[in-house]
Amino acid sequence: MQVSFNTKEESNRRQEEAFLKLSPSERFLTFLRLSKQSLKLFPAKEKVGNLIIQIEPKNG
C-alpha cells in the first residue's frame, strides 16, 4: 500500500487522466458501476422501476 499526499487539484487531475485513458465503453460501464454504488450509499426515497440496465459479465 502506498500513501501519497497531494492537493485536491492534483488528485482530481490524476483521476481525470486515468478516466480519459479508458475507452468510451469502459467509461460508460464505469459510470454505471459508480451509479449503482451511489444508490447503495445514498438510497432514493422513491424507487421507480422504469429502466433496468443489466450488464452481463464477459465470458473468458
Side-chain angles (χ1 to χ4, degrees), residues 19-36 51-55:
F19 185 75
L20 292 176
K21 287 180 183 177
L22 299 174
S23 70
S25 60
E26 290 172 323
R27 290 182 201 169
F28 182 66
L29 290 175
T30 300
F31 167 76
L32 292 177
R33 282 189 209 103
L34 289 172
S35 296
K36 186 175 180 180
L51 175 66
I52 298 174
I53 299 175
Q54 187 172 4
I55 301 170

